[in-house]
Amino acid sequence: MHNFEILRRPIVTEKSTASMTQRKYGFEVVKSASKTQVKEAVQQAFKVDVTKVNMITVHGKTRKRGTRVITSPSWRKAIVTLKSGDKIELFEGV
Amino acid sequence: MKLSTEKTENCQVIFNIEVEPPEMEKYLDEAYTHLVEEYKVPGFRKGKTPRPILENYLGQGALVEHALEHLVPELCNMAIEEQKITAIAYPDVEITELEPVKFKATVSVQPIIELGDYHSITIEPDKVEVTEKDIANTMEQLREQKAKWEPVTRSVAIDDMVKIDVKSVVGDETVIDEKERFYMVKKESPLPIPGFAEQLVGIEPGETKEFNLSFPAEHEDKNLAGKNYAIKVTVHEIKEKHLPDVNDDFAKSIGDDIDSLDTLRKRLETNLHSMAESNVRQTLEDKIIEEITKVSKICFPPIMVEQEIGKFLTDMAKQFGGGETGLNTFLKSSGKTLEEIKNELKPSAESKITRSLILREVSQDAKLTITDEEINTYLEEIINSDPAITEDMSNAIKSPSGRETARQILLGKKTFQHLVDIVTHVSTPVTEEKAQIEEAAAPAENETK
């Protein structure tokens, strides 16, 4: 899988914007991605140095529709920490 | 704020304002605090969106636009204060550049009047004259009004009234088909077709006549010019006009309180005299204004003209039912567009403004005032003059706003009297007093009468 296919979208929320002050940026990544892959993808895409990658599986939410139970797909979130001084401009405005 | 001003001829000041970045930042910040509370950006609670993200979400200009709403009036006011200008209307703003923000504000200021030397204007008022001929003419008009129509059994003559059937067919089309229409046989009447009246002359009652008539080739209406009509006319009735004889009976029929021809004649004379007098007065007043306009420097902003026209249009709209619909009906009935009407009204609005400005200035110049007693007598006169005025109406007349209007009217009258005295060089107490004041060069407590 090519590096650029790893990252799906940046995550822009109140929480993620707040953690940007600590140089932590969130992405949705493909489920099968490994931390190394994410690190390399971010480094290549944004020309920055990644010091740390944390990954969480966000479980899909279930809701009932009549008798059926529907689950929205679960996905994987990666939070990358950059070397001090680095920045990803993309997040400035999304 | 960088500010440059220029003055235009018609009492307007143009500000060219450029907003400097730090100042702009202040307004942008303000705009952000407003907007952030209004928009919900996905991923953020209301009011929690950081500024860059909000800017991006709303698009580039949104913040600037919002900022301008506050910035423009505030800066205009600042500019007006700084330049010590008395603006009479909200400035007309035109934004020329956004980066950095530059705009042009056109402010209408108080009209400027510099009265020329109106004391040296001399106008000879027209003589008030009522000639015997005028009275005779009026008498003749009264006779026409009181004329009786009496049926006769002769053939049609000029100045008769006839009852006729008219039918005209061109090809298969019936152009006119009227039964028992009254028609005045007037010499050289252009209606319905030139020559129609003459054709009727000589027809006996009950007789039918057929004739051809055509419109002249140079007729105004291109559709009708040169057209030929075959017309069939049947005369039913002929009435002759009988003018009443000029005698006491005729005089009595004019009015209840007129008992003889002499009284009528006198009544006519006084009426005509007062009419002529007011006409002369009117022309004199117009002339005075015209002359003063010539020697004085007067300028007023176009917005005053607009307002004057607006006032007139609202009045008209009121007569046609009021509001937007009223205005539209009025426009429809006059068959003109709003633009055309406005252009038509412009000169009269301008002269009206000039007139009121001159009057105001002169009254201030001469220090004319109206006392409360004068207003009281004037109001009493109005109320007593018309028995139809009810309690409510007289109360309305006596209200503060009514008194103010009365004051305006009286002041206008007095000012005109003052002006008339000046231009005709009549020495009245007012002018004398004024002269004294001028000599003493101490225009302190002068209560002009």
Side-chain angles (χ1 to χ4, degrees), chain A residues 12-14 17 92-94, chain B residues 43-45 48 52-53 56:
Chain A
V12 184
T13 60
E14 252 182 84
T17 353
E92 288 286 295
V94 168
Chain B
F44 298 90
R45 287 169 290 164
K48 302 283 183 183
I53 288 166
N56 225 295

Side-chain angles (χ1 to χ4, degrees), chain B residues 194-209:
Chain B
F196 184 79
E198 279 76 5
Q199 284 290 340
L200 291 183
V201 174
I203 305 177
E204 298 287 341
E207 200 187 343
T208 305
K209 187 179 175 184

Side-chain angles (χ1 to χ4, degrees), chain B residues 11-37:
Chain B
C11 272
Q12 284 183 324
V13 178
I14 297 173
F15 292 134
N16 286 308
I17 298 176
E18 190 187 324
V19 191
E20 280 162 309
E23 209 173 6
M24 191 64 208
E25 198 46 45
K26 199 183 100 200
Y27 286 102
L28 283 177
D29 237 24
E30 208 174 279
Y32 163 69
T33 48
H34 282 142
L35 289 176
V36 76
E37 294 293 338

Side-chain angles (χ1 to χ4, degrees), chain B residues 385-413:
Chain B
S385 69
D386 193 347
I389 291 177
T390 59
E391 185 83 9
D392 281 349
M393 279 160 79
S394 69
N395 280 340
I397 292 173
K398 280 178 184 161
S399 70
S401 69
R403 292 183 68 91
E404 183 53 33
T405 328
R407 210 181 64 80
Q408 295 290 345
I409 295 169
L410 286 175
L411 190 60
K413 273 190 187 166

Side-chain angles (χ1 to χ4, degrees), chain B residues 260-271:
Chain B
S260 71
L261 193 57
D262 254 2
T263 351
L264 176 63
R265 195 177 286 277
K266 264 182 202 132
R267 184 71 64 86
L268 285 182
E269 197 175 341
T270 44
N271 282 355

Side-chain angles (χ1 to χ4, degrees), chain A residues 4-46:
Chain A
F4 287 177
E5 283 172 73
I6 303 277
L7 304 176
R8 282 223 167 117
R9 66 178 174 99
I11 288 166
V12 184
T13 60
E14 252 182 84
K15 190 176 178 181
S16 77
T17 353
S19 57
M20 276 179 205
T21 48
Q22 299 155 35
R23 304 183 310 285
K24 288 180 181 170
Y25 293 84
F27 292 93
E28 183 188 335
V29 295
V30 288
K31 255 182 142 181
S32 58
S34 70
K35 286 186 177 181
T36 336
Q37 277 175 319
V38 171
K39 181 180 178 177
E40 265 163 28
V42 171
Q43 283 180 346
Q44 199 183 342
F46 302 106

